[in-house]
Amino acid sequence: MIVRKRLSILIIDGVGEKFVGWSWRAGAKIFGKMFDRVHYCASVADFWAVIESYAPGEVAHVQVWGHGGPGRPLINKVAIDDDDARWALLEGATVWFRMCSIAAGPQGHKFMKRLALHGVIPVAHLPVIGFWASQSYMVALKPGEEPWWPVDLLPKGSAPWLPRNVMAWQMTLPSWALDVAPEKFKAL
């Protein structure tokens, strides 16, 4: 039996506005070598074409860099649908949305839960990420889990001293990323 290495891929909003887009391109040049493949997408159709270019089970980890809002990861200002059946092509893979507020509010809960129902392990952040190079309030769901973080928790921003924080240069998920940890948010 041939065992193939499962891939780690980076997908970047290839349009990106001037203010932030340059940082995604620079980040890809610096950190791209930590991934097996780097893809720039100018549309949601491009995003799905990238996903469909891999065999089911071939991808272990995806990072998606771009803009977002509660439950709305964006490619060129268009949301990626949480109900698209093609998410199942990533069954068993972690998909880390390095975008603002994807897991926040009722829409974030719904989005994360829908991806987990497709067998994906979604990882995302609650607040606007901002300019700190810090991404706080990281949450994740394993297939079958319910969102465990408060639906009404809408942090104002990210900073190194806030809970469940990763820095922009951390390209691998921390060991605690998939832990259910509501106690981290109780005092907020």
Side-chain angles (χ1 to χ4, degrees), residues 6-7 59-62 89-95 119-122:
R6 292 186 69 207
L7 302 174
V59 175
H61 179 73
V62 179
L89 295 171
L90 294 172
E91 184 175 358
T94 56
V95 180
V120 172
I121 302 165

Side-chain angles (χ1 to χ4, degrees), residues 137-139 148-150 153 163-164 176 178-188:
Y137 300 94
M138 175 192 279
V139 296
W148 52 266
W149 55 96
L153 178 61
R164 296 180 67 91
W176 50 261
L178 302 181
D179 294 347
V180 174
E183 69 281 359
K184 296 286 185 185
F185 300 148
K186 285 203 188 305
L188 303 173

